[in-house]
Amino acid sequence: MSEATAVSSPAPAKPKVKRKRYQSPLLLALLPQIVLFVSAVVLFWLSQNDMAGTIEYWEYFIPVIALISLVSGWSQSYLSNEVRAWYLIKQVVHWGALFALLYVANTQGLRAGMDAQQYTTVVIYLIAFATLLAAIHLDFKLFFFSLFLVFCAYLLAVPADNAMLLYIGDTFGIDGAQSKTLSISIGVAVVGFIASTFVLLSMRGALLTKRIGAKRKEG
């Protein structure tokens, strides 16, 4: 009687379980901050060369900031357990108020009563303070960007014998700081971007912890 040879078939491979992403890639998360700081530096440089010609560019920059504030502040509203509809209403009211204020300034003679330097400076200050309020109430990642806008507005308002440039030059040993406005502004923008990145990383950590905790509760 011949023995039957049993051939054991290999066990079927288990399908790989895809690990769910709880967060977007870091570079993608940093992109809005990169856009904001780079755009502000470029606009500042253009304003130094042609103040009157860049007023509209600063005004066009407002919807970009508002859109980035809306998108990047979404995670902060999740962390604070805020109702998303209420968050959207606050964003619309906040930035809508700035648009309304600039509309009044353009239609009620305020713009005509100022020269290009004065009006551009006022617009940048308004954008800066609106961004600061958005950072406090909606998205704290915008805090250091708002301070950078204030810095830019001050440099444009006082182009000669600027006390801030003198202070930076004395503190960091920069000779002829008054003639290196663009270089110093780029340096300040880099510092602001790094500070904003630390805020972003801390918020991503808190967001990841909350999402993992919520996932475990569901399981």
Side-chain angles (χ1 to χ4, degrees), residues 33-107:
Q33 300 295 325
I34 295 173
V35 171
L36 289 178
F37 279 99
V38 171
S39 299
V41 169
V42 172
L43 287 175
F44 173 75
W45 171 67
L46 293 174
S47 298
Q48 285 186 305
N49 299 320
D50 183 12
M51 192 78 72
T54 54
I55 293 176
E56 292 185 351
Y57 295 138
W58 283 105
E59 292 175 338
Y60 294 152
F61 191 36
I62 299 175
V64 177
I65 302 173
L67 179 60
I68 290 176
S69 173
L70 174 65
V71 175
S72 65
W74 196 256
S75 58
Q76 183 168 319
S77 69
Y78 171 76
L79 282 175
S80 59
N81 295 318
E82 186 176 22
V83 178
R84 295 301 173 89
W86 175 238
Y87 168 76
L88 292 174
I89 291 172
K90 288 198 301 183
Q91 284 278 11
V92 171
V93 171
H94 179 86
W95 295 107
L98 179 58
F99 283 117
L101 184 59
L102 290 177
Y103 175 78
V104 171
N106 279 274
T107 57

Side-chain angles (χ1 to χ4, degrees), residues 73-179:
W74 196 256
S75 58
Q76 183 168 319
S77 69
Y78 171 76
L79 282 175
S80 59
N81 295 318
E82 186 176 22
V83 178
R84 295 301 173 89
W86 175 238
Y87 168 76
L88 292 174
I89 291 172
K90 288 198 301 183
Q91 284 278 11
V92 171
V93 171
H94 179 86
W95 295 107
L98 179 58
F99 283 117
L101 184 59
L102 290 177
Y103 175 78
V104 171
N106 279 274
T107 57
Q108 301 300 317
L110 180 61
R111 179 171 182 174
M114 298 181 180
D115 58 30
Q117 179 185 9
Q118 291 172 333
Y119 186 75
T120 302
T121 303
V122 168
V123 169
I124 301 173
Y125 272 128
L126 287 176
I127 298 172
F129 290 131
T131 307
L132 178 60
L133 290 176
I136 295 172
H137 297 289
L138 301 169
D139 181 15
F140 192 71
K141 294 189 295 295
L142 295 173
F143 177 75
F144 294 100
F145 175 67
S146 67
L147 296 184
F148 177 66
L149 288 178
V150 172
F151 177 77
C152 291
Y154 179 59
L155 293 187
L156 292 175
V158 188
D161 298 326
N162 189 284
M164 183 65 69
L165 290 178
L166 291 174
Y167 175 78
I168 293 175
D170 293 339
T171 303
F172 297 98
I174 302 175
D175 296 329
Q178 293 287 341
S179 61

Side-chain angles (χ1 to χ4, degrees), residues 30 141 144 191-205:
L30 288 172
K141 294 189 295 295
F144 294 100
V191 173
F193 174 76
I194 293 174
S196 299
T197 301
F198 279 112
V199 175
L200 173 65
L201 292 176
S202 64
M203 291 185 65
R204 280 170 67 88

